[in-house]
Amino acid sequence: MPYETRTECEMTETPRETRVLEAVVSLVDSLLYDFDVVDLLTELTERCAHLLDVEAAGLLLVDPLEQLRLLAATSEETHELELFQLQADQGPCVECYSSGQPVSVADLQAEADRWPRFVPAALQAGFASVHAVPLRAAGTVMGALGLFGARTGALSDADLLVGQTLAHVASVAILQEHPPTPFTVMPQLRSALTSRILVEQAKGFLRETLDVSVEQAFQLLRSYARANGEHLTDVARRLMTDRHSRPVLIAAISEFASATPS
């Protein structure tokens, strides 16, 4: 199941420093075991959104052609906005990746001249502030963590530190198999992006086959993999590449969906 958030009462009673440490310990603990990179980073974006009190978060990685691609996000709405951001070649994550420095915009409405295509789309999607912190490894900027707020307001230095810490955890998750060097970073990025492409294809396939929304298809795929002790990417790969076992897998996922409370 996806990361489950606490009630507002529990969050008020627990100091934020404790909640941040709990999140980091949980995510790093996952790195010590067999894990699925897309699933883990989706959980990281979910935790990031709640810890920083933002509406949504998304992780973008650079591909071999130096174009940013979405790897994980808290929602399909974020996914659509991030894709628009990349197509328009403007926005906080693009700027953060290019400069290698954090970007924090407290009032998005005031930045229409800065990002003339991105700002109207973001405002229409319900966002009022945007922020981004870089993903780095071996001196290489390899992507950005984008944060989208429903209210205006800047991130404090402490908020940016939390965001940067989680971005570092994301970098370790992507590159943890080998100590990163400038020569090993790109193959790891390609592998992670290939995994995301498989998940996207499987998500679309389930949406058509089971007549559910894209969001429901992803959550179903993710929950099924976790319930069966499998990697999200491995289930997606079998669904898209193994024609012989595909009918059995579809039936199993469909049965799982029927047995799972909505």
Side-chain angles (χ1 to χ4, degrees), residues 179-229:
T181 71
F183 300 102
T184 62
V185 166
M186 193 53 68
Q188 296 291 337
L189 299 188
R190 280 197 293 266
S191 176
L193 290 168
T194 298
S195 296
R196 179 66 199 194
I197 290 169
L198 277 169
V199 171
E200 287 292 319
Q201 291 173 339
K203 191 167 64 177
F205 181 80
L206 282 181
R207 180 180 68 84
E208 293 289 338
T209 305
L210 302 182
D211 193 26
V212 295
S213 69
V214 174
E215 186 78 19
Q216 289 171 324
F218 178 65
Q219 294 300 339
L220 179 57
L221 189 68
R222 189 181 178 199
S223 298
Y224 176 84
R226 288 189 170 192
N228 289 275

Side-chain angles (χ1 to χ4, degrees), residues 55-106:
E55 187 71 16
L59 273 166
L60 287 81
L61 287 183
V62 67
D63 68 11
L65 299 178
E66 298 189 2
Q67 297 294 314
L68 287 174
R69 306 294 180 190
L70 185 72
L71 179 59
T74 53
S75 71
E76 287 305 308
E77 288 76 16
T78 309
H79 188 170
E80 293 167 4
L81 181 59
E82 293 280 6
L83 289 177
F84 180 89
Q85 174 183 326
L86 300 182
Q87 292 164 355
D89 195 30
Q90 57 182 233
C93 289
V94 173
E95 199 165 292
C96 177
Y97 170 70
S98 298
S99 67
Q101 299 299 317
V103 172
S104 184
V105 174

Side-chain angles (χ1 to χ4, degrees), residues 104-112 119 123 128-131 151-154:
S104 184
V105 174
D107 187 353
L108 187 58
Q109 203 157 15
E111 300 296 333
V119 169
L123 292 173
S129 58
V130 292
H131 321 277
R151 301 185 300 272
T152 58

Side-chain angles (χ1 to χ4, degrees), residues 34-72:
D34 193 24
F35 71 93
D36 183 274
V37 66
V38 175
D39 194 10
L40 178 64
L41 295 182
T42 298
E43 179 179 340
L44 186 145
T45 63
E46 293 166 349
R47 287 183 177 271
C48 192
H50 290 287
L51 287 170
L52 297 177
D53 193 25
V54 294
E55 187 71 16
L59 273 166
L60 287 81
L61 287 183
V62 67
D63 68 11
L65 299 178
E66 298 189 2
Q67 297 294 314
L68 287 174
R69 306 294 180 190
L70 185 72
L71 179 59

